[in-house]
Amino acid sequence: MGAAVIDTLDREIPDGEERMRLEVTGDGLGVLTLCRPEKLNGWSWESSRQLGLLADRIRFDDAIRAVLLRADGRAFCAGIDVTAPGGAITGRSPAERTHRYYEGIRWAHERFAAFARLPQPVVAAVQGYCLGFGFELALMADIRIAAEDAVFALPETAIGVAVDAGGDLRIARDAGAGWAKLLALTGRRVDASTAERLGLVQQVVPEAELEKEARAVASEIAANAPLAVRAVKRNIDAFADAGLAEALDRTAMAAALTLTSEDAREGYAAKAARRPPTFEGR
């Protein structure tokens, strides 16, 4: 994809380059932790690759009956890490660059699907900033428990790009199209209590109790009959996600077109300069 973004054939995670780590406990849990707190667990192409690798490991591990998705530090995930190497995709022409972004985003969607479609239920424990892709990742979990300090937002349109991982679609599914449009079109931040009222999180707890409560829910699921649990998850997802695959393909193209636009260039430049952007629709 133009500039080498990632090595898609690499099946290993080099020491010191971990974006997340997996721990299998003795009580049926797989604990998946975002582990770059110094970067507020910012997301990158490499993060997507590692998510896919660890999802494959979880899927075929019979010792894992439920997954606890958590994060080190004061933020769950503050969105895309714009300082990560290989972030920009190049091309010999605007059309080629758009095509490469489209294929890159489709590739990332496949990694996300491996995670979202795990047979084991996923419980997300969310604290602090849960922005952009962080919010979208949390929405891929089956159950979300938030600390009282959690803050959620999809700020993409404010920097000139479309929501690229389906978070707006999942909000429409869980909270309704009106709320999806309000949050995605404005980029407005909402607190944990509002997210709970909208059905985007299932429980809000004090920050000090987040880990305990999320682990308790995951452990309660893990204690139940695994074949029944997996069947129930598949059945609910089949109903809730009807039409999601087609919508995600449209999402990939919209993201590719906007990521290569002059508006996106202006949006990122304005954010770096801490000034209001001037968008011209091109």
Side-chain angles (χ1 to χ4, degrees), residues 10 12-19 46 49-50:
D10 188 356
E12 300 298 327
I13 300 174
D15 291 341
E17 295 299 321
E18 298 90 350
R19 270 53 172 180
E46 175 61 17
R49 186 185 76 86
Q50 292 186 20

Side-chain angles (χ1 to χ4, degrees), residues 168-198:
D168 48 353
L169 307 179
R170 290 182 168 91
I171 293 173
R173 177 194 66 189
D174 293 344
W179 279 110
K181 292 173 182 177
L182 177 63
L183 296 182
L185 296 179
T186 65
R188 182 179 299 182
R189 294 185 178 187
V190 296
D191 60 19
S193 62
T194 302
E196 182 182 33
R197 178 168 59 85
L198 298 180

Side-chain angles (χ1 to χ4, degrees), residues 67 167 182 213:
V67 176
L182 177 63
E213 290 297 323

Side-chain angles (χ1 to χ4, degrees), residues 156-250:
E156 285 86 346
T157 57
I159 54 174
V161 298
V163 180
D164 59 0
D168 48 353
L169 307 179
R170 290 182 168 91
I171 293 173
R173 177 194 66 189
D174 293 344
W179 279 110
K181 292 173 182 177
L182 177 63
L183 296 182
L185 296 179
T186 65
R188 182 179 299 182
R189 294 185 178 187
V190 296
D191 60 19
S193 62
T194 302
E196 182 182 33
R197 178 168 59 85
L198 298 180
L200 300 176
V201 301
Q202 283 64 58
Q203 188 177 352
V204 177
V205 299
E207 184 180 359
E209 298 177 16
L210 177 64
E211 183 87 12
K212 176 184 175 182
E213 290 297 323
R215 188 178 289 265
V217 171
S219 295
E220 188 175 352
I221 294 169
N224 290 333
L227 296 180
V229 164
R230 295 179 182 198
V232 167
K233 173 175 175 172
R234 284 195 303 270
N235 291 345
I236 295 173
D237 284 348
F239 170 76
D241 294 342
L244 184 62
E246 294 82 2
L248 281 172
D249 188 69
R250 291 194 295 272

Side-chain angles (χ1 to χ4, degrees), residues 4 32 42 57 92 109 131 145 149 168 179 194 216 234 247 251 255:
L32 186 61
R57 294 177 189 175
R92 295 168 298 179
H109 283 180
L131 310 178
I145 299 175
D149 72 337
D168 48 353
W179 279 110
T194 302
R234 284 195 303 270
T251 293

